[in-house]
Amino acid sequence: MIVFERVLKRYPGGRCGLDGVSFRLAAGEMAFLTGHSGAGKSTLLKLVGLLERPSRGQVRVLGRNLGRLPARQVHRHRREVGMVFQDHRLLMDRTLFDNVALPLVVTGTPHREITRRVRAALDQVGLRGRERALPSTLSGGEQQRVGIARAVVNRPPVLLADEPTGNLDPELSREIMALFERFNQVGVTLLVASHDLDLVKRLGHRVLTLREGVLVQDTGPR
Amino acid sequence: MRPLTSWVLRNLQAAVGTLGELWRAPLTSLMSLLVIAIALSLPSGLLALLDNLERLGARWEGPASLSLYLKLKTTAEEARDLAGRLEADPAVAGVESLSPDQGLAELRAIPGFDAALELLDSNPLPRVLVVRPGPGRHSDAELERLRAFLAALPEVDQVRLDLQWVRRLQRLMALARRAVWLLAGLLGLGVLLIMGNTIRLEILNRRAEIEVCKLVGASDAFVRRPFLYRGLWLGSLGGALAWALVGGGLWWLQGPALRLAELYQSGFRLHPPGLTAGLGLLAGGGLLGWLGAWLAVGRHLGEIEPD
Ligand SMILES: Nc1ncnc2c1ncn2[C@@H]1O[C@H](COP(=O)(O)OP(=O)(O)O)[C@@H](O)[C@H]1O
Ligand SMILES: [Mg+2]
């Protein structure tokens, strides 16, 4: 499902984001990505979601060789990879409904179908009936859940999350992680970056550890 | 069939959606519309005025005439003979003969001239034949041919083609028309640049939205579409507004124009620009708007990528 082979990512300016990373993640697997700030977690996720291209090596996701994918097919790939960010990247002047509907709107989904799926997604993250609310009226944890609803509304086979609990207290963090586990149980492949080692260890999934762009540890699930 | 219908549907959605956005920000939209409308109404207003002047010219157009100044030694007998021959020519509608005495009398009638004429001991004026061209001989080419024929006659010293003032006006207006088209071209370019800048600002304003759309898998066409339709709407609505402005302007001038026409006992009235002009402005404005947006989108949309 996700295959990295000796992937090197060098940013303009010479900084190295990843340095020779290789691993495989099977379909339906769930893994955490840890490491200190600057270790390359975000870089790795961006390569999977095609927000960046590898400088060297191969990144294959869903059978696509992402280094070679033509620019006009990038958007098709992004439709199949849901992404959640620490700062959730919601449009603050749009309602929850409009925010969550966006991935369906850009694919030209019929209106009735959009309504049905947005309701279902908000329901899944525990925000049923809040379609008309604006993100600014929500708490941090709720905003993060809207971001998750947006990432899963078009049922992508792969879901990526970059420090999704970075701004949340332990209680809310556990809730968010439980949510991810539920998506994983219905077959979504998940890769979650987090530097909250305690939480990651307790959950007992596979853990990939990065240090200065190098994959230094890959511990299997308990 | 299905991809086509869905394509049409998406474009329709973008078109209606963009119109809704313009409607929800009426002040900004109106400002953009007015800028475009004013730029477009200036040349189209001038063209409408020229059209009206031309219409006026057409009502007053009289036949041109040619004055033949005969050689001084020509006798009255020879002059009458020549006039007779010319009148028989199908290229000539009529000939009027002016003797030197008649010419002198005409000059005397001009105040201040008679004193000067007292100083002359003999009449220096030649005989003059005024030739009116025959029906269908009023084109520039025909007149020139007639002039050349008359100038070659042995009795004739000089020929003067008296173009009616209307004809001169027409040539002046052809010049003015070309100048107005030049102005229109420059202002059209201005509209293009204004639109490009308007769309550029709109793109920057919506940077966050564009990034999120690209993040969730929007195609370039999807991201581009609302901006192109914004340009199309602003341009075509601006064109329509320009049409209304020109119509309103001419209506405002109608009163004074009618009172002027009364002085000349003419039923002349100003005509507002017609439906063709309106449609032309609508289409031209739309095209300029779309093109301006297209340029801005091509330049700035690619720079915005999620990170
Ligand atoms: N857009 C960028 N341009 C240049 N260097 C970058 C960019 N993004 C990340 N980096 C560098 O790449 C390295 C890894 O960063 P990142 O992947 O963000 O780490 P993490 O998410 O683990 O904190 C860091 O040294 C960072 O400075
Ligand atoms: Mg990071």
Side-chain angles (χ1 to χ4, degrees), chain A residues 24-46:
Chain A
R24 284 167 179 266
L25 202 65
E29 208 177 340
M30 177 165 180
F32 282 100
L33 201 55
T34 65
H36 294 296
S37 176
K41 306 183 291 297
S42 299
T43 302
L44 193 151
L45 293 181
K46 283 179 197 172

Side-chain angles (χ1 to χ4, degrees), chain A residues 46 51-52 75-76 78-79 81 83 85 89 91 94 102-103 105-108 150 154, chain B residues 10 13 21 206 208-220 222 305-307:
Chain A
K46 283 179 197 172
L51 301 185
E52 295 287 353
H75 68 276
R76 292 190 191 285
R78 289 190 188 148
R79 286 173 188 179
V81 178
M83 280 181 271
F85 299 89
R89 303 202 188 171
L91 297 173
R94 306 285 185 89
L102 212 54
V105 171
V106 304
T107 57
R150 185 183 66 192
N154 58 347
Chain B
R10 276 179 213 192
Q13 258 172 2
E21 277 169 17
R206 293 169 67 167
E209 187 185 337
I210 294 167
E211 279 183 12
V212 171
C213 280
K214 287 193 171 183
L215 192 69
V216 299
S219 64
D220 285 348
F222 179 91
E305 273 294 325
D307 58 359

Side-chain angles (χ1 to χ4, degrees), chain A residues 5-222:
Chain A
E5 273 173 20
R6 292 189 300 282
V7 174
L8 183 123
K9 172 65 191 176
R10 202 187 300 282
Y11 285 105
R15 265 183 182 278
C16 223
L18 285 184
D19 193 358
V21 170
S22 302
F23 72 93
R24 284 167 179 266
L25 202 65
E29 208 177 340
M30 177 165 180
F32 282 100
L33 201 55
T34 65
H36 294 296
S37 176
K41 306 183 291 297
S42 299
T43 302
L44 193 151
L45 293 181
K46 283 179 197 172
L47 287 171
V48 178
L50 250 186
L51 301 185
E52 295 287 353
R53 302 252 194 181
S55 311
R56 224 181 293 157
Q58 256 195 28
V59 178
R60 285 201 305 278
V61 178
L62 296 161
R64 297 188 182 100
N65 182 347
L66 297 191
R68 298 247 181 91
L69 201 69
R72 59 182 149 52
Q73 282 177 34
V74 167
H75 68 276
R76 292 190 191 285
H77 178 72
R78 289 190 188 148
R79 286 173 188 179
E80 293 177 35
V81 178
M83 280 181 271
V84 177
F85 299 89
Q86 178 171 3
D87 59 356
H88 47 70
R89 303 202 188 171
L90 299 177
L91 297 173
M92 299 313 268
D93 57 345
R94 306 285 185 89
T95 61
L96 298 200
F97 184 94
D98 289 346
N99 269 286
V100 175
L102 212 54
L104 300 172
V105 171
V106 304
T107 57
T109 311
H111 192 65
R112 184 168 303 186
E113 177 80 357
I114 291 181
T115 311
R116 197 178 64 69
R117 292 234 226 150
V118 170
R119 291 228 170 100
L122 282 172
D123 195 16
Q124 275 178 305
V125 299
L127 287 169
R128 170 186 220 145
R130 306 286 295 274
E131 290 100 6
R132 295 285 138 229
L134 288 173
S136 53
T137 65
L138 269 54
S139 71
E142 286 172 327
Q143 289 179 354
Q144 192 54 280
R145 283 188 276 161
V146 178
I148 295 171
R150 185 183 66 192
V152 300
V153 73
N154 58 347
R155 305 201 189 112
V158 177
L159 185 58
L160 309 175
D162 194 354
E163 313 264 7
T165 63
N167 294 330
L168 304 180
D169 60 44
E171 178 66 27
L172 286 172
S173 300
R174 266 196 298 281
E175 277 179 28
I176 297 286
M177 291 304 181
L179 198 52
F180 285 135
E181 286 180 322
R182 243 180 290 148
F183 288 122
N184 180 235
Q185 275 153 23
V186 298
V188 179
T189 308
L190 258 146
L191 193 51
V192 182
S194 172
H195 59 239
D196 188 348
L197 267 177
D198 289 342
L199 180 65
V200 167
K201 290 229 173 78
R202 217 172 319 129
L203 290 169
H205 295 283
R206 181 177 170 192
V207 181
L208 303 168
T209 309
L210 288 168
R211 185 179 300 149
E212 290 176 5
V214 179
L215 188 59
V216 292
Q217 207 175 21
D218 183 350
T219 56
R222 257 192 287 126

Side-chain angles (χ1 to χ4, degrees), chain B residues 7-140:
Chain B
W7 181 86
V8 168
L9 209 67
R10 276 179 213 192
N11 276 275
L12 215 62
Q13 258 172 2
V16 174
T18 314
L19 198 58
E21 277 169 17
L22 288 173
W23 182 253
R24 282 190 294 278
L27 214 63
T28 331
S29 307
L30 198 67
M31 283 309 197
S32 305
L33 280 183
L34 273 177
V35 170
I36 292 158
I38 289 168
L40 290 176
S41 66
L42 197 60
S44 47
L46 288 173
L47 282 177
L49 273 180
L50 283 177
D51 277 344
N52 275 291
L53 278 176
E54 249 164 35
R55 206 175 307 222
L56 192 64
R59 290 163 74 97
W60 286 346
E61 184 162 26
S65 64
L66 298 113
S67 300
L68 310 188
Y69 298 91
L70 303 185
K71 287 177 177 149
L72 282 176
K73 63 179 195 312
T74 315
T75 63
E77 193 72 25
E78 286 166 332
R80 208 175 309 127
D81 192 40
L82 177 60
R85 269 188 288 137
L86 287 178
E87 266 181 336
D89 192 313
V92 173
V95 179
E96 199 186 331
S97 184
L98 280 172
S99 70
D101 291 340
Q102 281 170 307
L104 203 59
E106 273 186 15
L107 282 182
R108 281 231 168 77
I110 301 170
F113 249 91
D114 49 353
L117 292 172
E118 288 306 328
L119 299 174
L120 301 172
D121 39 359
S122 68
N123 186 346
L125 296 180
R127 286 177 191 283
V128 178
L129 296 183
V130 178
V131 173
R132 279 179 289 115
R137 307 276 178 157
H138 284 265
S139 74
D140 286 354

